[in-house]
Amino acid sequence: MRTRRRFRAVLLKWCLGMFMAILLGLAAILIIPPGPTLASITSASPTPTAQIPSTRNTLFGNGGVRVTRNFQGTRGTNATQGTKGGNAAGGTRGRAAAPCVDKTKRYVDCGNGTVTDTETGLVWLKHSNCLSSADWEAGKKAVAGLKNGDCMLTDGSSPGDWRLPTQKEWETTMEKALALGCSGPTLTNDAGTGCITAGPSSFTGVEADYYWSGTTLEGQDRAYFGDIDHGHLLNGAFTTSLRVWPVRGGQR
């Protein structure tokens, strides 16, 4: 009987101990917050980022600083932008071909619709009869409008490059031929040693006729012209219809 009572007392104490242990465990779970898990530590870790230089610092009212970052890359070159060419769309006007030089000749065919006088530096239109006869004003306008593509020109010239020869230029052009006794027309051959009629000559369509100059008589509606039939300089009224032979370059 005593043994049974003792066994019951031990069992009761054991049950009470287990009950208290369970209560303490539950209290610990409810009172103490859970520690961080491995997953939470990994997600909270900062990811390393590249440092980007700021372009501007803006002060807040509380003394803090906001950093505005610059994400603008380096500007590249525009490959579609070309250089301006000589055209009617606003580009820079192209430069006409320079005189061609051959010291063994007076007149040199440049192969682009022009002939260079190596003594004066003048560039003459090879096809002398390309433009029609006209009065002085109309002749000047026609010559000033001459350009690459007209009169078989491939010299890159533009409107405004060409003009009428001056009085002095006509004198110089006919001077050597006049000394050689040439006439009809009073011009030399390419070599400058004989008359144009003896050849060879780089010019085409030259007539023993009158050709306008760009030099006018002061105070009069008249201009000089070259009489290359006889090698003289004459003058006539602006309204007279004469031949025009364009030049460019040279010394005016």
Side-chain angles (χ1 to χ4, degrees):
M1 188 71 180
R2 288 180 179 179
T3 303
R4 186 177 294 178
R5 287 177 179 176
R6 191 177 294 169
F7 175 75
R8 287 179 178 176
V10 171
L11 181 60
L12 181 60
K13 289 180 180 181
W14 182 85
C15 288
L16 289 173
M18 290 295 295
F19 181 73
M20 291 299 295
I22 291 172
L23 288 176
L24 291 173
L26 289 173
I29 293 173
L30 293 173
I31 297 173
I32 302 173
T37 62
L38 178 61
S40 66
I41 294 173
T42 303
S43 62
S45 299
T47 303
T49 56
Q51 294 183 352
I52 303 176
S54 64
T55 57
R56 182 179 57 189
N57 293 335
T58 305
L59 288 175
F60 285 139
N62 59 2
V65 177
R66 187 180 76 183
V67 178
T68 304
R69 288 174 180 155
N70 179 18
F71 294 97
Q72 182 177 358
T74 304
R75 292 184 179 179
T77 56
N78 181 2
T80 62
Q81 182 178 2
T83 54
K84 290 183 179 180
N87 52 50
T92 305
R93 192 177 77 179
R95 179 175 296 180
C100 49
V101 179
D102 182 347
K103 294 183 179 180
T104 65
K105 298 179 179 179
R106 172 164 186 174
Y107 295 109
V108 183
D109 190 338
C110 299
N112 56 10
T114 69
V115 175
T116 297
D117 183 346
T118 60
E119 288 192 10
T120 63
L122 281 175
V123 177
W124 292 80
L125 182 65
K126 177 180 176 70
H127 303 286
S128 63
N129 62 346
C130 178
L131 299 181
S132 301
S133 297
D135 61 53
W136 189 76
E137 290 290 352
K140 276 186 63 179
K141 184 176 180 180
V143 169
L146 191 64
K147 63 185 183 303
N148 186 74
D150 298 339
C151 297
M152 301 181 70
L153 284 171
T154 57
D155 65 336
S157 58
S158 303
D161 287 338
W162 295 89
R163 59 181 176 82
L164 292 172
T166 65
Q167 171 195 6
K168 181 64 178 177
E169 287 167 345
W170 269 124
E171 288 178 347
T172 305
T173 298
M174 297 184 292
E175 185 177 14
K176 180 66 177 292
L178 192 60
L180 291 172
C182 304
S183 62
T186 312
L187 299 172
T188 70
N189 57 11
D190 283 352
T193 57
C195 300
I196 190 173
T197 52
S201 175
S202 295
F203 294 115
T204 63
V206 179
E207 298 288 343
D209 207 342
Y210 303 138
Y211 290 81
W212 278 121
S213 83
T215 307
T216 60
L217 280 72
E218 186 175 356
Q220 302 182 48
D221 292 336
R222 303 176 68 85
Y224 289 98
F225 58 85
D227 172 13
I228 66 172
D229 186 13
H230 304 98
H232 303 307
L233 270 171
L234 306 173
N235 66 78
F238 286 169
T239 55
T240 307
S241 181
L242 302 177
R243 294 182 182 272
V244 290
W245 192 351
V247 298
R248 60 178 175 83
Q251 300 295 324
R252 302 192 190 187

